Amino acid sequence: MRRRRAVAAALATLVVLGVTTACEAGSDDPPPSPDPQPSASSEAKLTVAVTGTEDEIAAYTSVIETFDSLSDDAEVSIESYPTEAALMARLRQGGAVPDVFLASRDDLAWLLEQGVTQPVDQLLDERGVDFGDGYSRDGLQAFSVDNSLQCMPYAISPMVMYYNTDLVDFAKMEKRGLPVPSSDPPLSWGFDVFAAAAEFASRPARGTKGLYVDPTLRDLSPMVYSGGGQLFDDDADPTSLTLADSSESLERWLELLRNPQLTLTPEQLQRRPALEWFERGKLAMIPGYRDWVPELRLVHGLQFDTIAMPVLDTSATVGDVVGLCLSADAASTPAAADLMVHMLSTPSVQRVALEGYIVPANLEVALSDDFLQPGRQPEHSGVFNSAVRAIDFPPLISTWAQLERLVAGDLQALIDVPVLDDLAERLQAIDEKSRTVLDPESVEPSESGSESGSPGSTSGDGPTSAATTG
């Protein structure tokens, strides 16, 4: 709640800014220039970096080429990368910063620390971008820092639960007296229904398993948030994880995740990643994001749908949020801002959304058939839109990847150890270990030099996501 109140204040500032700008536009004085740079007589040479699959890159390219053909002020070249992480890896190594580029919220802290970007709210507001009803409030929250919008939200994909509708058949479950989702269509469910579905779908004779959740910090986060807990000790300046405070919630989940009758075994995961088991029809449920949809649609015979993450005490999930950012050293800030407005326009976002990989932050597109794509799997794509409101955003930290690596072995041990009778102690040890990354100055040298902060832990550089491979 502290986090949401803080960001709500930032959004209120954006709204006031929009009203002030509108009033100034109606006065006799001309509006101030958005940038001190004078307009060049020749075209500004801009570079825009986009990310995604070949189909997504083709969609972005089409959008940008349209702008390029219509603009007399800019000449645009395009760089493409398979993921935002690939682009960020180049920037972290000192590569040239594109004038406009897509970036994940996970990298926002680093971008701000390095002074890579400049705020975009005033520039976009002056160009008529609708911050009020036109965009996901949660997306705006995700990129609001210091009362300014640092990047413009472009796509906001919440983690949802994918399920095989042949293995998880709610009609058959109801006939057998098992609990089923209370809503029709089934957009959400309680933990007891989820557990019953996992047991129903686990058929030893058919070689099917009910569920798999990768034991990573990100994938376990919804279990913490849904139980009313928090992942960190402070929303603004975290110094430690607080998993131990959620031991009761995690214990309920671990009863399922540790059950070899219900979930994939280490031997199965060594043969192929969890997503491939799902595609083969041998795994009933797996959490994931919207970008899986096009791939799953191509799997012959696979019938699948999506539903919100299970609810313990409250609806909660995490999200993959991507924003359109503007370089602090853009060749021409006005021209780059014009390009951003074009890329953010409804027709441009529709073109990208049609490929099926993103959940648009543009609400007009998110609620349209361009995104919902009726008649195609998943049947209930609206779940992505409703689940956005349940996203809990972690604090902005530049060491997230390092933290995940540090505790990877400890979280894996929660699944692998034969007997887990000391869960609270293990979680407390993980919390203490996290301080070596989040608050290293408070850690004694002997502690920071240790890699084994909890019982049964393995190397912090051990394997990470088996579920998201593929």
Side-chain angles (χ1 to χ4, degrees), residues 227-280:
Q230 293 296 321
L231 199 61
F232 296 91
D233 61 348
D234 188 88
D235 294 334
D237 187 20
T239 62
S240 171
L241 291 171
T242 54
L243 295 177
D245 294 342
S246 299
S247 59
E248 291 185 8
S249 301
L250 289 171
E251 184 174 16
R252 293 188 65 187
W253 272 92
L254 289 171
E255 288 176 1
L256 301 180
L257 303 185
R258 290 173 49 79
N259 187 336
Q261 302 303 315
L262 303 182
T263 192
L264 298 171
T265 65
E267 292 75 22
Q268 289 174 312
L269 291 170
Q270 286 179 356
R271 293 206 299 272
R272 56 182 57 92
L275 182 58
E276 189 173 330
W277 286 108
F278 184 81
E279 292 174 342
R280 288 169 171 255

Side-chain angles (χ1 to χ4, degrees), residues 134-435:
Y135 278 84
S136 162
R137 185 179 182 86
D138 298 271
L140 293 170
Q141 288 178 345
F143 282 102
S144 296
V145 180
D146 295 334
N147 294 330
S148 293
L149 190 64
Q150 304 299 328
C151 298
M152 186 64 188
Y154 188 87
I156 176 168
S157 179
M159 178 185 286
V160 300
M161 190 66 71
Y162 283 78
Y163 68 99
N164 182 311
T165 55
D166 290 329
L167 298 179
V168 179
D169 188 323
F170 291 127
K172 288 183 179 180
M173 289 177 60
E174 188 172 21
K175 287 182 179 179
R176 296 186 185 183
L178 297 173
V180 296
S182 57
S183 60
D184 187 18
L187 302 180
S188 64
W189 51 358
F191 184 82
D192 291 341
V193 178
F194 171 70
E199 294 181 4
F200 177 83
S202 300
R203 311 283 181 84
R206 298 182 182 179
T208 61
K209 296 295 182 72
L211 77 156
Y212 181 77
V213 177
D214 200 26
T216 64
L217 195 57
R218 185 178 296 276
D219 284 18
L220 295 178
S221 296
M223 309 172 196
V224 173
Y225 293 133
S226 185
Q230 293 296 321
L231 199 61
F232 296 91
D233 61 348
D234 188 88
D235 294 334
D237 187 20
T239 62
S240 171
L241 291 171
T242 54
L243 295 177
D245 294 342
S246 299
S247 59
E248 291 185 8
S249 301
L250 289 171
E251 184 174 16
R252 293 188 65 187
W253 272 92
L254 289 171
E255 288 176 1
L256 301 180
L257 303 185
R258 290 173 49 79
N259 187 336
Q261 302 303 315
L262 303 182
T263 192
L264 298 171
T265 65
E267 292 75 22
Q268 289 174 312
L269 291 170
Q270 286 179 356
R271 293 206 299 272
R272 56 182 57 92
L275 182 58
E276 189 173 330
W277 286 108
F278 184 81
E279 292 174 342
R280 288 169 171 255
K282 296 299 182 180
L283 179 65
M285 296 181 288
I286 182 173
Y289 300 93
R290 175 70 186 191
D291 59 350
W292 283 359
V293 166
E295 176 183 338
L296 295 179
R297 284 173 173 170
L298 297 177
V299 180
H300 179 72
L302 177 64
Q303 300 298 314
F304 71 94
D305 205 348
T306 50
I307 191 170
M309 294 296 288
V311 177
L312 283 174
D313 296 327
T314 185
S315 298
T317 189
V318 293
D320 183 13
V321 192
V322 174
L324 201 58
C325 303
L326 178 59
S327 170
D329 299 317
S332 168
T333 292
D338 290 342
L339 171 58
M340 290 182 67
V341 171
H342 175 77
M343 294 181 67
L344 293 164
S345 68
T346 293
S348 296
V349 178
Q350 285 173 329
R351 173 66 184 89
V352 178
L354 282 170
E355 301 301 329
Y357 292 90
I358 69 167
V359 181
N362 180 317
L363 293 180
E364 182 179 352
V365 182
L367 298 174
S368 73
D369 286 350
D370 297 292
F371 166 69
L372 297 175
Q373 302 179 356
R376 305 190 70 186
Q377 298 188 95
E379 181 180 356
H380 300 110
S381 282
V383 165
F384 289 99
N385 288 328
S386 58
V388 163
R389 297 189 293 272
I391 292 177
D392 274 88
F393 294 108
L396 289 173
I397 57 175
S398 59
T399 55
W400 181 271
Q402 183 182 353
L403 181 62
E404 279 275 21
R405 290 193 298 270
L406 180 71
V407 302
D410 305 277
L411 296 178
Q412 185 69 49
L414 299 180
I415 305 297
D416 292 343
V417 295
V419 178
L420 189 64
D421 56 0
D422 55 351
L423 177 60
E425 290 81 359
R426 286 177 176 272
L427 295 176
Q428 184 62 50
I430 295 173
D431 293 343
E432 288 298 318
K433 187 175 184 179
S434 71
R435 293 168 51 228

Side-chain angles (χ1 to χ4, degrees), residues 45-59:
K45 296 186 182 299
L46 300 178
T47 301
V48 58
V50 293
T51 60
T53 64
E54 291 185 4
D55 291 335
E56 288 178 280
I57 298 302

